[in-house]
Amino acid sequence: MKQPATSHQKSLSRIAILIVLLSFCSPTTASINEKCKPTGMSVNLLTHADQVFLNGYPVNTPLNEAVSHRENFQFTEIAQQQPFFGWVVNSDRNNTIQTAYRIIVASTPENIQNETGDFWDSGKVESSQSININYTGKPLEPGKVYFWKVKTWDNHGNESPWSSVSQFKTAAKLVDYATARYPLQKQDQFPVSIKAISNAIRFTDFEKNAFGRLRLTLFSKTGTDTIAIHFGEVKKEGTIDRKPGGSRRYYNYILALKGGWNTYIIAIRPDKRNTGPAAIPMPEYVGDVIPFRYCEIEGYNQPIEKHQIVRETVFYPFDETESYFSSSDTILNQVWDLCKYSMKATSFTGTYVDGDRERIPYEADALINQLGHYGVAREFSIARYSHEYLLHHATWPTEWILQSVLMAWNDYLHTGNSESLENFYTDLKAKTLLTLADESGFISTTTGKVTPEVYKSIHLKDKLRDIVDWPHTGILGLGKNEAGETDGFVFQDINTVVNAYHYFALNVMGTIAAQLGKEDESEFYSNQAAKLKQGFNAQLIDKKRKIYIDGIGTDHSSLHANMFPLAFGLAPEKNIATINEFIQSRGMACSVYGSQFLMEAIYDGNNAEYGLQLLSSTDERSWYNMIRAGSTISMEAWDNKYKPNQDWNHAWGAAPANIIPRKLMGIEPLEPGFGKIRIKPQPASLESAEIKCPTIRGDVLVLFKNQSQKSFVLNITIPANTSATVYLPFWNKLQKVTMNGEPVSFTREGEFAIIKDIGSGNTIFEISNR
């Protein structure tokens, strides 16, 4: 009997189907040629700038000037005088590079249909650039709707059809630079189950936690009935846990019913803490929201169906189809699903925040949120806006000030757009904290160099303090004898973790300066980084143990003092094996925030088997434990006992959303804007996996089947107008490597066989051991 296909087998077939579909694209037949026209049209990084919303719900009304002035409608507004455009190049052939493009921008639908660019016709521009094309037409007028489309030519001699027409609306006031954002989106969801737990109480489950409010359609014969409604994130013994503790949420509301059938919206009471002056407010068209998965309706004596109970969820626009991941490890698959959904669910304010407790942006949350969002969606605007917000709303930890430089660099790597770097260059220089450096290059917040001028330059109204990880011992409900999440880190004036961050920020700042044509400043920052690296490794490595100590003045070595230098490229090659061994001996002795850098250190140190072990672990300190505890959004801590005030909706606990695509599957940009891509899977003992990873240039598809030390098959598809460097396992000198069935030469780098300059389209590599 033929066995039914497993879910993994079905998933593995998707990439083959996509590859076959690509092969149907042919320039010789007009109907098929349509499939090859430019797609993924974006203006100022937004691919749906023409979407109209009514009270947060997407509507089919086209964007036009009449709609743009109607009450209760929401839409994106482009405030930049000279916006920039982008698209995805499509082709039916491998090794495709765009050779030219033509953009037209028109003020009316008739003009755009007639190919009349009354505001801009670029003409045929000989260029491979398909992202970040600056508008150079007539000055755009404020408060107007514009229409645009593009066509391309490629190196195979093909001329594409025109793209679909896209629209955008300009803001009432136009400026030199402004990051565009979507309105928040609402979506109605029905419960997956309703269960009577007593004669008076119906328990409803929406399957996943989400931020929203409730809409009920109920009947009353008398108009004198009163019911109670309970909301919660946590279930206990079949009902909502009314005392979940910490920042896990429980609410109850009383509702007086009117006679007959009526629909009610449960208006959420403002929370004093998360609606304060530092919190990100919810827009009026959404109203306040709370996170909940469960709802109980108490005292309603009529029959009730699922369609009568609606959760109005809210999130930043998110397309679940833009990414997928599946593997032979079912735990790993569940971890991916948890972390991917966390990106959507925690975007409910339109700015990355720390969860529901405060709803305040913090750099550490935003950095992990940024990388995770890039891993699961072709979306760049919320990350850019959140980063730019934090530049002028800094928070107190020393390392988090430095993280602003990292976020700026991540933005540039994934978008290829340097406008944010240019606009905030002075702020980014201050965020390196170079003014705190001593003659050896070390920085410190305790040696008297933190002045009012420093605080002003970094836009900090609080006191600067080193953090390493969070929480510390003895705070937030942890007793003095209860360990925090710093692995016993011994704080010193010269702090190893802080200075590892400082080194990385200097390195990045040197690259940023070079990109902006500031060669003298680039050399300066690079020299500062080199000086710090020399002193760092001279004074902070224990010469006998060959691992890093926590700081100058202690011989204690923590996980953090070693994982950050390894992740940031400080560790000497001769010490990496010893540092890896020490890191592995400490286990997951860091918080969910720290795990981001632990996983980067592990994979960058080529210790992939340990990385896989942690990603798919079922220990208490694991991502699977969040699922086991009952949360459907990543949590603020590994378990409630590790942070007694923790919440169950914290994106900084979702590191696998970026670690899986970037490190396990190995998809990272080698050039800003993914002009060149590195594909460096590190499967370890994972038998098979596949991923669809969105980038600004289009989707990257990677599938592997792995019999360690026996055979390895890698199937990749990369977008047109890109190329890739592929890393394959190197087992021994006798292994045979083929590309599309033919032998191929490679260079060796440690445990990898490297093949460069792989063009766009589909390529299959195979390794077999002789």
Side-chain angles (χ1 to χ4, degrees), residues 138-173:
K138 290 166 54 177
L140 298 174
E141 299 173 11
K144 299 291 184 179
V145 175
Y146 292 93
F147 306 83
W148 74 284
K149 61 183 180 181
V150 64
K151 71 188 316 183
T152 62
W153 289 260
D154 68 29
N155 58 322
H156 305 300
N158 295 324
E159 176 181 349
S160 81
W162 285 104
S163 68
S164 299
V165 175
S166 188
Q167 297 120 277
F168 65 92
K169 181 184 183 295
T170 55
K173 181 180 179 181

Side-chain angles (χ1 to χ4, degrees), residues 429-430 432-438 443 449-451 454 457 502:
K429 289 200 298 181
T432 66
L433 297 179
L434 191 55
T435 54
L436 306 185
D438 63 18
I443 64 169
K449 292 191 175 185
V450 182
T451 64
V454 170
S457 70
H502 180 51

Side-chain angles (χ1 to χ4, degrees), residues 102-171:
R102 180 187 172 195
I103 300 175
I104 58 174
V105 177
S107 59
T108 67
E110 293 77 21
N111 281 346
I112 201 73
Q113 288 301 126
N114 294 330
E115 299 179 18
T116 301
D118 57 320
F119 266 71
W120 186 34
D121 187 336
S122 70
K124 184 177 179 181
V125 179
E126 304 290 337
S127 172
S128 64
Q129 190 174 357
S130 57
I131 58 174
N132 305 312
I133 311 293
N134 288 319
Y135 176 83
T136 57
K138 290 166 54 177
L140 298 174
E141 299 173 11
K144 299 291 184 179
V145 175
Y146 292 93
F147 306 83
W148 74 284
K149 61 183 180 181
V150 64
K151 71 188 316 183
T152 62
W153 289 260
D154 68 29
N155 58 322
H156 305 300
N158 295 324
E159 176 181 349
S160 81
W162 285 104
S163 68
S164 299
V165 175
S166 188
Q167 297 120 277
F168 65 92
K169 181 184 183 295
T170 55

Side-chain angles (χ1 to χ4, degrees), residues 236-501:
K236 183 179 180 180
E237 298 175 355
T239 65
I240 294 175
D241 189 344
R242 284 156 168 73
K243 295 182 179 180
S247 298
R248 281 82 69 195
R249 297 308 193 188
Y250 164 74
Y251 300 88
N252 72 298
Y253 291 83
I254 303 298
L255 176 64
L257 302 183
K258 296 170 60 179
W261 285 100
N262 291 280
T263 298
Y264 307 87
I265 292 178
I266 309 303
I268 305 301
R269 295 185 294 266
D271 182 286
K272 288 184 179 181
R273 184 162 191 184
N274 65 29
T275 57
I280 301 298
M282 300 302 298
E284 289 187 12
Y285 65 87
V286 172
D288 210 347
V289 293
I290 54 175
F292 68 98
R293 172 179 173 177
Y294 307 106
C295 167
E296 290 177 5
I297 301 174
E298 181 179 2
Y300 184 68
N301 297 318
Q302 304 293 325
I304 192 166
E305 302 292 337
K306 292 180 182 178
H307 68 269
Q308 295 175 244
I309 307 172
V310 179
R311 180 173 65 179
E312 297 180 358
T313 64
V314 61
F315 50 90
Y316 199 70
F318 189 91
D319 184 350
E320 289 87 349
T321 68
E322 288 182 333
S323 67
Y324 62 71
F325 171 79
S326 182
S327 77
S328 52
D329 189 316
T330 58
I331 297 295
L332 188 63
N333 298 342
Q334 291 178 70
V335 168
W336 164 263
D337 290 341
L338 168 79
C339 296
K340 175 179 175 177
Y341 177 69
S342 297
M343 296 300 106
K344 175 182 179 179
T346 60
S347 68
F348 68 102
T349 69
T351 308
Y352 295 148
V353 295
D354 70 328
D356 188 50
R357 182 174 57 252
E358 296 177 303
R359 300 189 187 178
I360 295 174
Y362 288 87
E363 293 87 348
D365 299 81
L367 174 62
I368 298 171
N369 219 153
Q370 173 192 39
L371 290 171
H373 218 137
Y374 294 157
V376 302
R378 189 170 179 260
E379 164 49 48
F380 312 99
S381 58
I382 187 173
R384 176 172 284 194
Y385 179 85
S386 300
H387 153 60
E388 292 173 349
Y389 178 92
L390 280 160
L391 285 172
H392 287 257
H393 298 81
T395 63
W396 60 266
T398 313
E399 299 95 309
W400 297 3
I401 299 296
L402 294 156
Q403 284 175 350
S404 279
V405 185
L406 277 62
M407 282 189 280
W409 180 240
N410 289 335
D411 174 90
Y412 180 53
L413 272 179
H414 288 80
T415 67
N417 183 273
S418 62
E419 292 191 11
S420 183
L421 300 180
E422 294 164 2
N423 197 68
F424 294 102
Y425 183 71
T426 299
D427 294 303
L428 292 172
K429 289 200 298 181
K431 299 286 183 173
T432 66
L433 297 179
L434 191 55
T435 54
L436 306 185
D438 63 18
E439 62 280 359
S440 298
F442 289 111
I443 64 169
S444 175
T445 58
T446 60
T447 54
K449 292 191 175 185
V450 182
T451 64
E453 290 74 25
V454 170
Y455 283 128
K456 184 178 179 180
S457 70
I458 60 176
H459 307 288
L460 180 63
K461 297 179 180 179
D462 203 338
K463 181 181 179 182
L464 204 58
R465 290 156 282 167
D466 300 351
I467 191 169
V468 175
D469 207 340
W470 194 252
H472 294 175
T473 300
I475 62 171
L476 303 177
L478 292 173
K480 292 183 178 180
N481 295 323
E482 293 180 280
E485 294 287 20
T486 62
D487 194 32
F489 188 91
V490 178
F491 286 80
Q492 299 291 307
D493 290 338
I494 302 300
N495 177 324
T496 299
V497 171
V498 166
N499 280 282
Y501 265 109

Side-chain angles (χ1 to χ4, degrees), residues 198-262:
S198 72
N199 291 334
I201 300 178
R202 269 78 158 234
F203 177 85
T204 66
D205 182 359
F206 287 91
E207 189 175 35
K208 289 186 177 182
N209 197 8
F211 285 84
R213 62 183 184 181
L214 202 66
R215 191 171 77 238
L216 299 171
T217 300
L218 303 174
F219 178 79
S220 174
K221 290 182 179 180
T222 64
T224 59
D225 300 310
T226 300
I227 65 171
I229 302 162
H230 307 269
F231 299 92
E233 295 180 284
V234 185
K235 184 170 71 170
K236 183 179 180 180
E237 298 175 355
T239 65
I240 294 175
D241 189 344
R242 284 156 168 73
K243 295 182 179 180
S247 298
R248 281 82 69 195
R249 297 308 193 188
Y250 164 74
Y251 300 88
N252 72 298
Y253 291 83
I254 303 298
L255 176 64
L257 302 183
K258 296 170 60 179
W261 285 100
N262 291 280

